[in-house]
Amino acid sequence: MLLGSSKELCVSNDTNASVVDGTGFVSLRGLTKSFGNIDAVSNLDLDVASGEFFSMLGPSGSGKTTVLRLIAGFETATTGTITIDDEDVTNFAPFDRTVNTVFQDYALFPHMSIQENVEYGLKAKKVAKDERTRLATEAIDSVKLGHLADRRPHQLSGGQRQRIALARALVMRPKVLLLDEPLGALDKQLREEMQSELKRIQRESGITFIFVTHDQDEAMRMSDRIAVFNAGKIEQLGSPVLVYERPETAFVAGFLGASNLIHGEEAQALFGSTHLVNLRPERVTLRGSGAKASSGESSVDAVLTDIAYTGPNTVYLAKTAGGSVLSSTRLNQELPADFREFVPGDKVVAVWQNSHVSTIPQDKRLTPERSVQ
């Protein structure tokens, strides 16, 4: 059994491969959103646990943002129900739901100080001045920007503005915080710093986070569980380890990281099965011609066709006699100083552990009784 989150639930008899066991803090049942003849979300069932960092991952148009907007109340469900903490909020207006949303564009008021921005929601709810000042100060301190409370948004960096947007959402004490690709406008280094900050804030606050992203690394780094969306449905749901190491569909294998996907006669020759097989490039080791596989390993002779240096890794492409092209990734710290372990045209032996081979089911969907844990 593959290691995963202790919060993982059992899969229902549903073609969406969604998680439904009735224990969700946020529960979606039969949720459909149609725009004309197009179903942006189709008959979705899903439970998100209390205090969970839950990510919805998928390409543009896959339905993940529509689901977030349905939970927030910015879109009205065509059919189905939305429950938060055992309260049916399907027909509630956005301001009547115990959620708050953080957007990519921050939406801070430029004419207000940071303190005033964070206090604004509390002021609208007529919280007494002393109390809202105290709560806003605590929220700003929680994102480590108390020393900038008197500044205005244009005087802050992008990462600092994103933290203030978080503080403004958190100060309202929402039961659920919805995050719509909030880090998309940041550069790579700042984005990675904010990923760590987001996870820290979520753990310290204990609030349920539902996070939308198209960035697989971002989802893997922060999430307790990930739902991989495609065409308005969930292709697979589980811990980062589960969805990466044991993809249930070819789409998940291809979208979540690089993959060697092999089927038919070549899969039969290499893996003993004609089913679609997934083998991650980092699991494939290249050895010199004539090398032998050890116990628990398999191998195939191949010829190197391409080598690409990518910074931390080097990526090799090797063609087998059967015509398959295997990708192999090697950490550069393991290579010689000149990074020239092999050159294109070299004969090599591609080796992998049998336990690292993942067969994608013919059905491409989870069975009713199967547990994702």
Side-chain angles (χ1 to χ4, degrees):
M1 181 174 289
L2 202 65
L3 292 177
S5 168
S6 62
K7 295 176 181 174
E8 298 206 24
L9 310 173
C10 291
V11 173
S12 71
N13 185 8
D14 183 87
T15 57
N16 289 337
S18 302
V19 168
V20 284
D21 77 344
T23 64
F25 187 72
V26 178
S27 294
L28 313 180
R29 293 292 180 272
L31 195 64
T32 295
K33 177 60 180 179
S34 301
F35 296 96
N37 295 325
I38 305 297
D39 286 347
V41 179
S42 181
N43 194 32
L44 188 73
D45 290 345
L46 175 67
D47 284 338
V48 178
S50 178
E52 184 173 23
F53 198 123
F54 184 89
S55 288
M56 297 189 288
L57 172 69
S60 297
S62 61
K64 60 189 188 299
T65 298
T66 301
V67 172
L68 194 82
R69 290 177 63 83
L70 287 164
I71 297 171
F74 300 141
E75 299 285 354
T76 302
T78 303
T79 60
T81 60
I82 302 167
T83 303
I84 299 176
D85 195 15
D86 294 327
E87 181 178 33
D88 188 338
V89 301
T90 309
N91 298 314
F92 284 18
F95 52 79
D96 287 330
R97 303 188 184 204
T98 52
V99 305
N100 228 325
T101 306
V102 178
F103 300 99
Q104 188 179 56
D105 62 1
Y106 317 136
L108 299 174
F109 297 115
H111 62 288
M112 294 183 182
S113 70
I114 298 311
Q115 181 78 26
E116 291 168 336
N117 262 281
V118 177
E119 285 187 24
Y120 181 80
L122 298 171
K123 185 176 182 180
K125 287 188 173 293
K126 302 190 184 316
V127 175
K129 179 173 175 49
D130 288 348
E131 179 67 3
R132 69 173 185 257
T133 298
R134 181 185 68 81
L135 292 173
T137 299
E138 289 178 358
I140 296 170
D141 287 343
S142 75
V143 297
K144 300 181 179 180
L145 291 177
H147 60 295
L148 301 178
D150 292 334
R151 295 192 183 182
R152 294 195 176 184
H154 74 275
Q155 297 174 299
L156 305 184
S157 68
Q160 289 170 336
R161 289 196 296 272
Q162 184 61 79
R163 292 187 194 187
I164 294 304
L166 278 169
R168 189 177 60 180
L170 291 168
V171 78
M172 302 304 293
R173 300 293 195 269
K175 291 183 178 179
V176 182
L177 187 63
L178 308 174
L179 301 107
D180 187 9
E181 303 204 49
L183 310 183
L186 306 180
D187 60 50
K188 185 177 185 297
Q189 182 176 354
L190 187 54
R191 187 172 185 142
E192 290 176 352
E193 290 174 3
M194 281 304 302
Q195 288 167 4
S196 297
E197 280 298 298
L198 267 180
K199 189 60 181 175
R200 176 190 65 80
I201 291 167
Q202 191 269 334
R203 285 173 173 165
E204 291 179 359
S205 68
I207 294 173
T208 302
F209 276 29
I210 300 180
F211 187 89
V212 163
T213 182
H214 64 271
D215 186 315
Q216 58 187 13
D217 292 335
E218 192 166 81
M220 296 278 286
R221 181 172 181 173
M222 294 190 294
S223 309
D224 296 317
R225 288 188 302 150
I226 300 170
V228 184
F229 275 74
N230 182 32
K233 299 181 179 180
I234 295 176
E235 290 265 334
Q236 188 172 352
L237 191 154
S239 69
V241 173
L242 179 74
V243 295
Y244 185 82
E245 298 290 352
R246 292 292 183 264
E248 291 286 346
T249 72
F251 174 83
V252 173
F255 187 77
L256 203 69
S259 293
N260 291 300
L261 292 171
I262 304 169
H263 62 90
E265 294 182 2
E266 184 72 355
Q268 179 67 49
L270 295 178
F271 308 107
S273 170
T274 58
H275 291 175
L276 183 62
V277 169
N278 173 59
L279 180 62
R280 297 291 186 183
E282 66 271 18
R283 303 298 194 182
V284 179
T285 301
L286 299 183
R287 299 174 185 169
S289 180
K292 301 296 182 182
S294 302
S295 176
E297 295 180 335
S298 294
S299 65
V300 63
D301 293 336
V303 177
L304 272 180
T305 60
D306 191 27
I307 300 174
Y309 175 86
T310 64
N313 305 310
T314 293
V315 179
Y316 301 89
L317 298 181
K319 190 172 184 178
T320 71
S324 293
V325 176
L326 291 177
S327 175
S328 172
T329 302
R330 184 84 176 268
L331 287 172
N332 285 331
Q333 68 180 24
E334 300 173 353
L335 296 179
D338 62 0
F339 304 109
R340 294 178 61 85
E341 185 177 36
F342 299 109
V343 296
D346 281 353
K347 293 182 179 180
V348 295
V349 178
V351 182
W352 60 89
Q353 293 184 26
N354 296 328
S355 60
H356 292 158
V357 176
S358 174
T359 300
I360 295 176
Q362 288 268 33
D363 177 330
K364 309 256 193 311
R365 297 288 180 184
L366 297 176
T367 55
E369 296 77 25
R370 188 162 180 180
S371 176
V372 290
Q373 55 182 326

